[in-house]
Amino acid sequence: MSGSTITSQFQEMVRQEVGARRATGLKGAFREVARLYSLTERRVRAAWHGELRSVRAEEWESVRVRRLEMLRVRQEQLRQELASLEEEFATPKGDQA
């Protein structure tokens, strides 16, 4: 994989995570994502603005692994929420039209 591809993927992963946390404000989202990914706020802000020139392989791998972990947690939360809603809205057999 080329360096520009890694940089683009890295920036996109950071942008997605910042975007998911923008409700706290952009500055707060930068701070939170920096903490989650063990990056500096400046590095997160540069990724958000597409200003990174390069990304070290170990930095990219660390963010990729952490991003996958967080997506799996969100997936499980959504699965549980969906199961709860399906149970709540299930039509009892005697009430079917």
Side-chain angles (χ1 to χ4, degrees), residues 12-23 29 32-33 35-37 63 66-83:
E12 186 57 28
M13 287 187 287
V14 170
R15 285 181 186 137
Q16 288 175 358
E17 209 57 52
V18 169
R21 291 169 164 68
R22 274 192 88 172
E32 192 172 339
V33 172
R35 184 183 51 78
L36 288 169
Y37 285 153
V63 167
R66 184 69 178 129
R67 175 91 173 127
L68 287 171
E69 289 172 0
M70 288 186 293
L71 288 172
R72 285 187 185 108
V73 167
R74 286 186 195 152
Q75 181 182 32
E76 179 59 22
Q77 290 169 339
L78 288 171
R79 188 198 65 72
Q80 290 175 3
E81 186 176 343
L82 181 59

PDB file of all heavy atoms in Angstrom, residues 12-23 29 32-33 35-37 63 66-83:
ATOM      1  N   GLU A  12      -9.151   9.587   6.948  1.00  0.00           N
ATOM      2  CA  GLU A  12     -10.575   9.248   6.888  1.00  0.00           C
ATOM      3  C   GLU A  12     -11.040   8.600   8.192  1.00  0.00           C
ATOM      4  O   GLU A  12     -12.135   8.904   8.680  1.00  0.00           O
ATOM      5  CB  GLU A  12     -10.858   8.335   5.693  1.00  0.00           C
ATOM      6  CG  GLU A  12     -12.326   8.064   5.482  1.00  0.00           C
ATOM      7  CD  GLU A  12     -13.174   9.313   5.298  1.00  0.00           C
ATOM      8  OE1 GLU A  12     -12.673  10.356   4.807  1.00  0.00           O
ATOM      9  OE2 GLU A  12     -14.371   9.266   5.653  1.00  0.00           O
ATOM     10  N   MET A  13     -10.241   7.716   8.763  1.00  0.00           N
ATOM     11  CA  MET A  13     -10.623   7.091  10.038  1.00  0.00           C
ATOM     12  C   MET A  13     -10.743   8.147  11.128  1.00  0.00           C
ATOM     13  O   MET A  13     -11.691   8.132  11.922  1.00  0.00           O
ATOM     14  CB  MET A  13      -9.608   6.016  10.437  1.00  0.00           C
ATOM     15  CG  MET A  13      -9.701   4.764   9.616  1.00  0.00           C
ATOM     16  SD  MET A  13      -8.629   3.420  10.207  1.00  0.00           S
ATOM     17  CE  MET A  13      -7.006   4.020   9.727  1.00  0.00           C
ATOM     18  N   VAL A  14      -9.797   9.069  11.170  1.00  0.00           N
ATOM     19  CA  VAL A  14      -9.834  10.142  12.172  1.00  0.00           C
ATOM     20  C   VAL A  14     -11.053  11.034  11.924  1.00  0.00           C
ATOM     21  O   VAL A  14     -11.784  11.372  12.858  1.00  0.00           O
ATOM     22  CB  VAL A  14      -8.523  10.951  12.161  1.00  0.00           C
ATOM     23  CG1 VAL A  14      -8.646  12.204  13.023  1.00  0.00           C
ATOM     24  CG2 VAL A  14      -7.355  10.085  12.625  1.00  0.00           C
ATOM     25  N   ARG A  15     -11.296  11.394  10.678  1.00  0.00           N
ATOM     26  CA  ARG A  15     -12.449  12.247  10.348  1.00  0.00           C
ATOM     27  C   ARG A  15     -13.767  11.597  10.756  1.00  0.00           C
ATOM     28  O   ARG A  15     -14.664  12.261  11.276  1.00  0.00           O
ATOM     29  CB  ARG A  15     -12.488  12.532   8.855  1.00  0.00           C
ATOM     30  CG  ARG A  15     -11.482  13.528   8.396  1.00  0.00           C
ATOM     31  CD  ARG A  15     -11.611  13.751   6.906  1.00  0.00           C
ATOM     32  NE  ARG A  15     -10.552  14.599   6.425  1.00  0.00           N
ATOM     33  CZ  ARG A  15      -9.874  14.371   5.306  1.00  0.00           C
ATOM     34  NH1 ARG A  15     -10.157  13.338   4.550  1.00  0.00           N
ATOM     35  NH2 ARG A  15      -8.922  15.199   4.940  1.00  0.00           N
ATOM     36  N   GLN A  16     -13.902  10.309  10.494  1.00  0.00           N
ATOM     37  CA  GLN A  16     -15.140   9.621  10.864  1.00  0.00           C
ATOM     38  C   GLN A  16     -15.354   9.646  12.369  1.00  0.00           C
ATOM     39  O   GLN A  16     -16.474   9.866  12.846  1.00  0.00           O
ATOM     40  CB  GLN A  16     -15.116   8.188  10.340  1.00  0.00           C
ATOM     41  CG  GLN A  16     -15.276   8.099   8.848  1.00  0.00           C
ATOM     42  CD  GLN A  16     -15.124   6.687   8.324  1.00  0.00           C
ATOM     43  OE1 GLN A  16     -14.860   5.750   9.069  1.00  0.00           O
ATOM     44  NE2 GLN A  16     -15.283   6.524   7.021  1.00  0.00           N
ATOM     45  N   GLU A  17     -14.298   9.427  13.111  1.00  0.00           N
ATOM     46  CA  GLU A  17     -14.428   9.421  14.572  1.00  0.00           C
ATOM     47  C   GLU A  17     -14.716  10.824  15.098  1.00  0.00           C
ATOM     48  O   GLU A  17     -15.532  10.990  16.003  1.00  0.00           O
ATOM     49  CB  GLU A  17     -13.155   8.840  15.196  1.00  0.00           C
ATOM     50  CG  GLU A  17     -13.379   8.169  16.508  1.00  0.00           C
ATOM     51  CD  GLU A  17     -14.401   7.042  16.472  1.00  0.00           C
ATOM     52  OE1 GLU A  17     -14.302   6.132  15.645  1.00  0.00           O
ATOM     53  OE2 GLU A  17     -15.325   7.082  17.319  1.00  0.00           O
ATOM     54  N   VAL A  18     -14.071  11.832  14.544  1.00  0.00           N
ATOM     55  CA  VAL A  18     -14.350  13.217  14.946  1.00  0.00           C
ATOM     56  C   VAL A  18     -15.798  13.555  14.601  1.00  0.00           C
ATOM     57  O   VAL A  18     -16.525  14.119  15.419  1.00  0.00           O
ATOM     58  CB  VAL A  18     -13.372  14.207  14.277  1.00  0.00           C
ATOM     59  CG1 VAL A  18     -13.843  15.652  14.475  1.00  0.00           C
ATOM     60  CG2 VAL A  18     -11.963  14.038  14.826  1.00  0.00           C
ATOM     61  N   GLY A  19     -16.211  13.186  13.400  1.00  0.00           N
ATOM     62  CA  GLY A  19     -17.583  13.465  12.966  1.00  0.00           C
ATOM     63  C   GLY A  19     -18.623  12.840  13.878  1.00  0.00           C
ATOM     64  O   GLY A  19     -19.671  13.437  14.136  1.00  0.00           O
ATOM     65  N   ALA A  20     -18.330  11.654  14.385  1.00  0.00           N
ATOM     66  CA  ALA A  20     -19.262  10.965  15.277  1.00  0.00           C
ATOM     67  C   ALA A  20     -19.363  11.662  16.637  1.00  0.00           C
ATOM     68  O   ALA A  20     -20.307  11.430  17.379  1.00  0.00           O
ATOM     69  CB  ALA A  20     -18.819   9.513  15.470  1.00  0.00           C
ATOM     70  N   ARG A  21     -18.393  12.523  16.947  1.00  0.00           N
ATOM     71  CA  ARG A  21     -18.355  13.180  18.257  1.00  0.00           C
ATOM     72  C   ARG A  21     -18.545  14.691  18.169  1.00  0.00           C
ATOM     73  O   ARG A  21     -18.337  15.402  19.135  1.00  0.00           O
ATOM     74  CB  ARG A  21     -17.020  12.876  18.930  1.00  0.00           C
ATOM     75  CG  ARG A  21     -16.906  11.444  19.340  1.00  0.00           C
ATOM     76  CD  ARG A  21     -15.488  11.103  19.768  1.00  0.00           C
ATOM     77  NE  ARG A  21     -15.449   9.864  20.512  1.00  0.00           N
ATOM     78  CZ  ARG A  21     -15.696   8.676  20.000  1.00  0.00           C
ATOM     79  NH1 ARG A  21     -15.985   8.558  18.734  1.00  0.00           N
ATOM     80  NH2 ARG A  21     -15.654   7.591  20.750  1.00  0.00           N
ATOM     81  N   ARG A  22     -18.944  15.196  17.030  1.00  0.00           N
ATOM     82  CA  ARG A  22     -19.057  16.649  16.839  1.00  0.00           C
ATOM     83  C   ARG A  22     -20.108  17.297  17.719  1.00  0.00           C
ATOM     84  O   ARG A  22     -20.091  18.519  17.901  1.00  0.00           O
ATOM     85  CB  ARG A  22     -19.365  16.973  15.391  1.00  0.00           C
ATOM     86  CG  ARG A  22     -18.104  17.060  14.579  1.00  0.00           C
ATOM     87  CD  ARG A  22     -18.354  17.648  13.262  1.00  0.00           C
ATOM     88  NE  ARG A  22     -18.240  19.116  13.359  1.00  0.00           N
ATOM     89  CZ  ARG A  22     -18.255  19.890  12.313  1.00  0.00           C
ATOM     90  NH1 ARG A  22     -18.391  19.383  11.120  1.00  0.00           N
ATOM     91  NH2 ARG A  22     -18.161  21.198  12.450  1.00  0.00           N
ATOM     92  N   ALA A  23     -21.022  16.539  18.269  1.00  0.00           N
ATOM     93  CA  ALA A  23     -22.066  17.115  19.122  1.00  0.00           C
ATOM     94  C   ALA A  23     -21.452  17.833  20.324  1.00  0.00           C
ATOM     95  O   ALA A  23     -22.044  18.770  20.861  1.00  0.00           O
ATOM     96  CB  ALA A  23     -23.031  16.034  19.585  1.00  0.00           C
ATOM     97  N   ALA A  29     -14.378  17.362  20.273  1.00  0.00           N
ATOM     98  CA  ALA A  29     -14.244  16.140  19.479  1.00  0.00           C
ATOM     99  C   ALA A  29     -12.781  15.863  19.184  1.00  0.00           C
ATOM    100  O   ALA A  29     -12.333  14.707  19.270  1.00  0.00           O
ATOM    101  CB  ALA A  29     -15.043  16.259  18.190  1.00  0.00           C
ATOM    102  N   GLU A  32     -11.256  14.468  22.376  1.00  0.00           N
ATOM    103  CA  GLU A  32     -11.699  13.102  22.663  1.00  0.00           C
ATOM    104  C   GLU A  32     -11.059  12.080  21.717  1.00  0.00           C
ATOM    105  O   GLU A  32     -10.609  11.020  22.154  1.00  0.00           O
ATOM    106  CB  GLU A  32     -13.225  13.025  22.568  1.00  0.00           C
ATOM    107  CG  GLU A  32     -13.791  11.752  23.130  1.00  0.00           C
ATOM    108  CD  GLU A  32     -15.307  11.784  23.191  1.00  0.00           C
ATOM    109  OE1 GLU A  32     -15.901  12.874  23.175  1.00  0.00           O
ATOM    110  OE2 GLU A  32     -15.889  10.692  23.248  1.00  0.00           O
ATOM    111  N   VAL A  33     -11.011  12.400  20.431  1.00  0.00           N
ATOM    112  CA  VAL A  33     -10.411  11.480  19.462  1.00  0.00           C
ATOM    113  C   VAL A  33      -8.904  11.360  19.710  1.00  0.00           C
ATOM    114  O   VAL A  33      -8.344  10.264  19.597  1.00  0.00           O
ATOM    115  CB  VAL A  33     -10.726  11.921  18.016  1.00  0.00           C
ATOM    116  CG1 VAL A  33      -9.948  11.101  16.999  1.00  0.00           C
ATOM    117  CG2 VAL A  33     -12.227  11.793  17.766  1.00  0.00           C
ATOM    118  N   ARG A  35      -7.441  11.509  22.543  1.00  0.00           N
ATOM    119  CA  ARG A  35      -7.309  10.607  23.691  1.00  0.00           C
ATOM    120  C   ARG A  35      -7.558   9.164  23.274  1.00  0.00           C
ATOM    121  O   ARG A  35      -6.804   8.264  23.638  1.00  0.00           O
ATOM    122  CB  ARG A  35      -8.288  11.017  24.793  1.00  0.00           C
ATOM    123  CG  ARG A  35      -8.175  10.197  26.070  1.00  0.00           C
ATOM    124  CD  ARG A  35      -9.225  10.623  27.095  1.00  0.00           C
ATOM    125  NE  ARG A  35     -10.574  10.669  26.582  1.00  0.00           N
ATOM    126  CZ  ARG A  35     -11.357   9.600  26.381  1.00  0.00           C
ATOM    127  NH1 ARG A  35     -10.913   8.398  26.657  1.00  0.00           N
ATOM    128  NH2 ARG A  35     -12.592   9.741  25.918  1.00  0.00           N
ATOM    129  N   LEU A  36      -8.602   8.924  22.493  1.00  0.00           N
ATOM    130  CA  LEU A  36      -8.948   7.568  22.070  1.00  0.00           C
ATOM    131  C   LEU A  36      -7.856   6.914  21.241  1.00  0.00           C
ATOM    132  O   LEU A  36      -7.602   5.720  21.353  1.00  0.00           O
ATOM    133  CB  LEU A  36     -10.247   7.577  21.263  1.00  0.00           C
ATOM    134  CG  LEU A  36     -11.519   7.824  22.047  1.00  0.00           C
ATOM    135  CD1 LEU A  36     -12.685   8.073  21.083  1.00  0.00           C
ATOM    136  CD2 LEU A  36     -11.822   6.655  22.941  1.00  0.00           C
ATOM    137  N   TYR A  37      -7.246   7.697  20.366  1.00  0.00           N
ATOM    138  CA  TYR A  37      -6.241   7.164  19.450  1.00  0.00           C
ATOM    139  C   TYR A  37      -4.803   7.375  19.932  1.00  0.00           C
ATOM    140  O   TYR A  37      -3.860   7.054  19.223  1.00  0.00           O
ATOM    141  CB  TYR A  37      -6.399   7.797  18.074  1.00  0.00           C
ATOM    142  CG  TYR A  37      -7.569   7.292  17.269  1.00  0.00           C
ATOM    143  CD1 TYR A  37      -8.166   8.104  16.321  1.00  0.00           C
ATOM    144  CD2 TYR A  37      -8.073   6.016  17.426  1.00  0.00           C
ATOM    145  CE1 TYR A  37      -9.230   7.660  15.549  1.00  0.00           C
ATOM    146  CE2 TYR A  37      -9.145   5.567  16.669  1.00  0.00           C
ATOM    147  CZ  TYR A  37      -9.707   6.388  15.729  1.00  0.00           C
ATOM    148  OH  TYR A  37     -10.761   5.944  14.971  1.00  0.00           O
ATOM    149  N   VAL A  63      -4.215   3.153  14.967  1.00  0.00           N
ATOM    150  CA  VAL A  63      -5.521   3.792  14.770  1.00  0.00           C
ATOM    151  C   VAL A  63      -6.488   2.810  14.114  1.00  0.00           C
ATOM    152  O   VAL A  63      -7.656   2.721  14.492  1.00  0.00           O
ATOM    153  CB  VAL A  63      -5.379   5.094  13.952  1.00  0.00           C
ATOM    154  CG1 VAL A  63      -6.726   5.600  13.465  1.00  0.00           C
ATOM    155  CG2 VAL A  63      -4.681   6.155  14.794  1.00  0.00           C
ATOM    156  N   ARG A  66      -7.680   0.290  16.773  1.00  0.00           N
ATOM    157  CA  ARG A  66      -8.573   0.947  17.734  1.00  0.00           C
ATOM    158  C   ARG A  66      -9.918   1.274  17.088  1.00  0.00           C
ATOM    159  O   ARG A  66     -10.967   1.114  17.694  1.00  0.00           O
ATOM    160  CB  ARG A  66      -7.905   2.212  18.277  1.00  0.00           C
ATOM    161  CG  ARG A  66      -8.698   2.910  19.334  1.00  0.00           C
ATOM    162  CD  ARG A  66      -8.756   2.097  20.606  1.00  0.00           C
ATOM    163  NE  ARG A  66      -9.489   2.847  21.586  1.00  0.00           N
ATOM    164  CZ  ARG A  66     -10.513   2.367  22.292  1.00  0.00           C
ATOM    165  NH1 ARG A  66     -10.869   1.110  22.164  1.00  0.00           N
ATOM    166  NH2 ARG A  66     -11.150   3.121  23.145  1.00  0.00           N
ATOM    167  N   ARG A  67      -9.888   1.728  15.830  1.00  0.00           N
ATOM    168  CA  ARG A  67     -11.133   2.049  15.113  1.00  0.00           C
ATOM    169  C   ARG A  67     -12.000   0.803  14.965  1.00  0.00           C
ATOM    170  O   ARG A  67     -13.216   0.849  15.176  1.00  0.00           O
ATOM    171  CB  ARG A  67     -10.791   2.630  13.734  1.00  0.00           C
ATOM    172  CG  ARG A  67     -11.986   2.883  12.859  1.00  0.00           C
ATOM    173  CD  ARG A  67     -12.508   4.272  13.033  1.00  0.00           C
ATOM    174  NE  ARG A  67     -13.558   4.511  12.036  1.00  0.00           N
ATOM    175  CZ  ARG A  67     -14.764   4.942  12.349  1.00  0.00           C
ATOM    176  NH1 ARG A  67     -15.056   5.259  13.571  1.00  0.00           N
ATOM    177  NH2 ARG A  67     -15.664   5.104  11.425  1.00  0.00           N
ATOM    178  N   LEU A  68     -11.397  -0.319  14.603  1.00  0.00           N
ATOM    179  CA  LEU A  68     -12.142  -1.568  14.492  1.00  0.00           C
ATOM    180  C   LEU A  68     -12.750  -1.976  15.831  1.00  0.00           C
ATOM    181  O   LEU A  68     -13.908  -2.413  15.886  1.00  0.00           O
ATOM    182  CB  LEU A  68     -11.247  -2.689  13.955  1.00  0.00           C
ATOM    183  CG  LEU A  68     -10.892  -2.599  12.480  1.00  0.00           C
ATOM    184  CD1 LEU A  68      -9.835  -3.636  12.117  1.00  0.00           C
ATOM    185  CD2 LEU A  68     -12.125  -2.761  11.621  1.00  0.00           C
ATOM    186  N   GLU A  69     -11.992  -1.817  16.909  1.00  0.00           N
ATOM    187  CA  GLU A  69     -12.512  -2.141  18.247  1.00  0.00           C
ATOM    188  C   GLU A  69     -13.733  -1.289  18.567  1.00  0.00           C
ATOM    189  O   GLU A  69     -14.747  -1.796  19.053  1.00  0.00           O
ATOM    190  CB  GLU A  69     -11.443  -1.904  19.314  1.00  0.00           C
ATOM    191  CG  GLU A  69     -10.307  -2.886  19.309  1.00  0.00           C
ATOM    192  CD  GLU A  69      -9.178  -2.477  20.256  1.00  0.00           C
ATOM    193  OE1 GLU A  69      -9.287  -1.413  20.922  1.00  0.00           O
ATOM    194  OE2 GLU A  69      -8.189  -3.213  20.314  1.00  0.00           O
ATOM    195  N   MET A  70     -13.642   0.013  18.295  1.00  0.00           N
ATOM    196  CA  MET A  70     -14.753   0.911  18.610  1.00  0.00           C
ATOM    197  C   MET A  70     -15.974   0.612  17.745  1.00  0.00           C
ATOM    198  O   MET A  70     -17.110   0.673  18.218  1.00  0.00           O
ATOM    199  CB  MET A  70     -14.313   2.364  18.458  1.00  0.00           C
ATOM    200  CG  MET A  70     -13.366   2.793  19.566  1.00  0.00           C
ATOM    201  SD  MET A  70     -12.925   4.539  19.546  1.00  0.00           S
ATOM    202  CE  MET A  70     -11.976   4.645  18.048  1.00  0.00           C
ATOM    203  N   LEU A  71     -15.757   0.271  16.484  1.00  0.00           N
ATOM    204  CA  LEU A  71     -16.883  -0.079  15.615  1.00  0.00           C
ATOM    205  C   LEU A  71     -17.555  -1.371  16.072  1.00  0.00           C
ATOM    206  O   LEU A  71     -18.783  -1.485  16.013  1.00  0.00           O
ATOM    207  CB  LEU A  71     -16.424  -0.204  14.164  1.00  0.00           C
ATOM    208  CG  LEU A  71     -16.089   1.111  13.471  1.00  0.00           C
ATOM    209  CD1 LEU A  71     -15.468   0.839  12.103  1.00  0.00           C
ATOM    210  CD2 LEU A  71     -17.307   2.004  13.353  1.00  0.00           C
ATOM    211  N   ARG A  72     -16.779  -2.317  16.554  1.00  0.00           N
ATOM    212  CA  ARG A  72     -17.368  -3.566  17.071  1.00  0.00           C
ATOM    213  C   ARG A  72     -18.203  -3.298  18.315  1.00  0.00           C
ATOM    214  O   ARG A  72     -19.278  -3.883  18.483  1.00  0.00           O
ATOM    215  CB  ARG A  72     -16.274  -4.585  17.366  1.00  0.00           C
ATOM    216  CG  ARG A  72     -15.706  -5.204  16.118  1.00  0.00           C
ATOM    217  CD  ARG A  72     -14.733  -6.332  16.421  1.00  0.00           C
ATOM    218  NE  ARG A  72     -14.147  -6.804  15.192  1.00  0.00           N
ATOM    219  CZ  ARG A  72     -12.888  -6.589  14.818  1.00  0.00           C
ATOM    220  NH1 ARG A  72     -12.064  -5.928  15.614  1.00  0.00           N
ATOM    221  NH2 ARG A  72     -12.435  -7.053  13.673  1.00  0.00           N
ATOM    222  N   VAL A  73     -17.733  -2.422  19.179  1.00  0.00           N
ATOM    223  CA  VAL A  73     -18.500  -2.057  20.377  1.00  0.00           C
ATOM    224  C   VAL A  73     -19.808  -1.393  19.964  1.00  0.00           C
ATOM    225  O   VAL A  73     -20.876  -1.734  20.479  1.00  0.00           O
ATOM    226  CB  VAL A  73     -17.675  -1.137  21.303  1.00  0.00           C
ATOM    227  CG1 VAL A  73     -18.552  -0.499  22.382  1.00  0.00           C
ATOM    228  CG2 VAL A  73     -16.530  -1.913  21.931  1.00  0.00           C
ATOM    229  N   ARG A  74     -19.743  -0.448  19.023  1.00  0.00           N
ATOM    230  CA  ARG A  74     -20.961   0.218  18.545  1.00  0.00           C
ATOM    231  C   ARG A  74     -21.914  -0.777  17.898  1.00  0.00           C
ATOM    232  O   ARG A  74     -23.132  -0.700  18.083  1.00  0.00           O
ATOM    233  CB  ARG A  74     -20.616   1.305  17.532  1.00  0.00           C
ATOM    234  CG  ARG A  74     -20.013   2.519  18.156  1.00  0.00           C
ATOM    235  CD  ARG A  74     -19.827   3.619  17.132  1.00  0.00           C
ATOM    236  NE  ARG A  74     -18.938   4.624  17.691  1.00  0.00           N
ATOM    237  CZ  ARG A  74     -18.157   5.409  16.973  1.00  0.00           C
ATOM    238  NH1 ARG A  74     -18.154   5.315  15.666  1.00  0.00           N
ATOM    239  NH2 ARG A  74     -17.386   6.284  17.554  1.00  0.00           N
ATOM    240  N   GLN A  75     -21.364  -1.713  17.141  1.00  0.00           N
ATOM    241  CA  GLN A  75     -22.191  -2.729  16.496  1.00  0.00           C
ATOM    242  C   GLN A  75     -22.933  -3.556  17.548  1.00  0.00           C
ATOM    243  O   GLN A  75     -24.131  -3.824  17.399  1.00  0.00           O
ATOM    244  CB  GLN A  75     -21.323  -3.638  15.621  1.00  0.00           C
ATOM    245  CG  GLN A  75     -22.108  -4.696  14.895  1.00  0.00           C
ATOM    246  CD  GLN A  75     -21.193  -5.608  14.078  1.00  0.00           C
ATOM    247  OE1 GLN A  75     -20.056  -5.866  14.460  1.00  0.00           O
ATOM    248  NE2 GLN A  75     -21.690  -6.077  12.955  1.00  0.00           N
ATOM    249  N   GLU A  76     -22.260  -3.938  18.610  1.00  0.00           N
ATOM    250  CA  GLU A  76     -22.896  -4.718  19.675  1.00  0.00           C
ATOM    251  C   GLU A  76     -23.970  -3.892  20.376  1.00  0.00           C
ATOM    252  O   GLU A  76     -25.053  -4.398  20.683  1.00  0.00           O
ATOM    253  CB  GLU A  76     -21.852  -5.221  20.671  1.00  0.00           C
ATOM    254  CG  GLU A  76     -22.429  -6.017  21.824  1.00  0.00           C
ATOM    255  CD  GLU A  76     -23.197  -7.260  21.398  1.00  0.00           C
ATOM    256  OE1 GLU A  76     -22.979  -7.784  20.286  1.00  0.00           O
ATOM    257  OE2 GLU A  76     -24.043  -7.719  22.194  1.00  0.00           O
ATOM    258  N   GLN A  77     -23.691  -2.618  20.616  1.00  0.00           N
ATOM    259  CA  GLN A  77     -24.693  -1.749  21.241  1.00  0.00           C
ATOM    260  C   GLN A  77     -25.931  -1.634  20.358  1.00  0.00           C
ATOM    261  O   GLN A  77     -27.057  -1.716  20.856  1.00  0.00           O
ATOM    262  CB  GLN A  77     -24.105  -0.362  21.502  1.00  0.00           C
ATOM    263  CG  GLN A  77     -23.066  -0.326  22.591  1.00  0.00           C
ATOM    264  CD  GLN A  77     -22.317   0.993  22.644  1.00  0.00           C
ATOM    265  OE1 GLN A  77     -22.268   1.760  21.675  1.00  0.00           O
ATOM    266  NE2 GLN A  77     -21.696   1.256  23.794  1.00  0.00           N
ATOM    267  N   LEU A  78     -25.735  -1.474  19.076  1.00  0.00           N
ATOM    268  CA  LEU A  78     -26.870  -1.382  18.150  1.00  0.00           C
ATOM    269  C   LEU A  78     -27.627  -2.704  18.071  1.00  0.00           C
ATOM    270  O   LEU A  78     -28.860  -2.705  17.994  1.00  0.00           O
ATOM    271  CB  LEU A  78     -26.390  -0.964  16.754  1.00  0.00           C
ATOM    272  CG  LEU A  78     -25.946   0.482  16.631  1.00  0.00           C
ATOM    273  CD1 LEU A  78     -25.282   0.711  15.285  1.00  0.00           C
ATOM    274  CD2 LEU A  78     -27.099   1.437  16.850  1.00  0.00           C
ATOM    275  N   ARG A  79     -26.908  -3.818  18.107  1.00  0.00           N
ATOM    276  CA  ARG A  79     -27.550  -5.125  18.084  1.00  0.00           C
ATOM    277  C   ARG A  79     -28.441  -5.287  19.306  1.00  0.00           C
ATOM    278  O   ARG A  79     -29.588  -5.729  19.202  1.00  0.00           O
ATOM    279  CB  ARG A  79     -26.507  -6.252  18.034  1.00  0.00           C
ATOM    280  CG  ARG A  79     -27.132  -7.636  17.824  1.00  0.00           C
ATOM    281  CD  ARG A  79     -26.177  -8.750  18.201  1.00  0.00           C
ATOM    282  NE  ARG A  79     -25.846  -8.762  19.614  1.00  0.00           N
ATOM    283  CZ  ARG A  79     -26.674  -9.121  20.602  1.00  0.00           C
ATOM    284  NH1 ARG A  79     -27.912  -9.462  20.333  1.00  0.00           N
ATOM    285  NH2 ARG A  79     -26.277  -9.117  21.853  1.00  0.00           N
ATOM    286  N   GLN A  80     -27.942  -4.897  20.475  1.00  0.00           N
ATOM    287  CA  GLN A  80     -28.726  -5.000  21.702  1.00  0.00           C
ATOM    288  C   GLN A  80     -29.929  -4.066  21.661  1.00  0.00           C
ATOM    289  O   GLN A  80     -31.024  -4.441  22.085  1.00  0.00           O
ATOM    290  CB  GLN A  80     -27.851  -4.693  22.918  1.00  0.00           C
ATOM    291  CG  GLN A  80     -26.831  -5.770  23.205  1.00  0.00           C
ATOM    292  CD  GLN A  80     -25.900  -5.397  24.346  1.00  0.00           C
ATOM    293  OE1 GLN A  80     -26.037  -4.346  24.973  1.00  0.00           O
ATOM    294  NE2 GLN A  80     -24.939  -6.268  24.624  1.00  0.00           N
ATOM    295  N   GLU A  81     -29.744  -2.870  21.158  1.00  0.00           N
ATOM    296  CA  GLU A  81     -30.850  -1.911  21.054  1.00  0.00           C
ATOM    297  C   GLU A  81     -31.917  -2.428  20.094  1.00  0.00           C
ATOM    298  O   GLU A  81     -33.115  -2.347  20.376  1.00  0.00           O
ATOM    299  CB  GLU A  81     -30.329  -0.557  20.582  1.00  0.00           C
ATOM    300  CG  GLU A  81     -31.378   0.526  20.576  1.00  0.00           C
ATOM    301  CD  GLU A  81     -30.810   1.883  20.185  1.00  0.00           C
ATOM    302  OE1 GLU A  81     -29.590   2.079  20.220  1.00  0.00           O
ATOM    303  OE2 GLU A  81     -31.630   2.752  19.827  1.00  0.00           O
ATOM    304  N   LEU A  82     -31.498  -2.980  18.982  1.00  0.00           N
ATOM    305  CA  LEU A  82     -32.432  -3.537  18.011  1.00  0.00           C
ATOM    306  C   LEU A  82     -33.206  -4.713  18.611  1.00  0.00           C
ATOM    307  O   LEU A  82     -34.431  -4.800  18.465  1.00  0.00           O
ATOM    308  CB  LEU A  82     -31.683  -3.991  16.754  1.00  0.00           C
ATOM    309  CG  LEU A  82     -32.527  -4.581  15.636  1.00  0.00           C
ATOM    310  CD1 LEU A  82     -33.567  -3.582  15.148  1.00  0.00           C
ATOM    311  CD2 LEU A  82     -31.628  -5.028  14.495  1.00  0.00           C
ATOM    312  N   ALA A  83     -32.511  -5.597  19.317  1.00  0.00           N
ATOM    313  CA  ALA A  83     -33.181  -6.736  19.943  1.00  0.00           C
ATOM    314  C   ALA A  83     -34.207  -6.265  20.967  1.00  0.00           C
ATOM    315  O   ALA A  83     -35.314  -6.803  21.057  1.00  0.00           O
ATOM    316  CB  ALA A  83     -32.154  -7.656  20.593  1.00  0.00           C
TER     317      ALA A  83
END
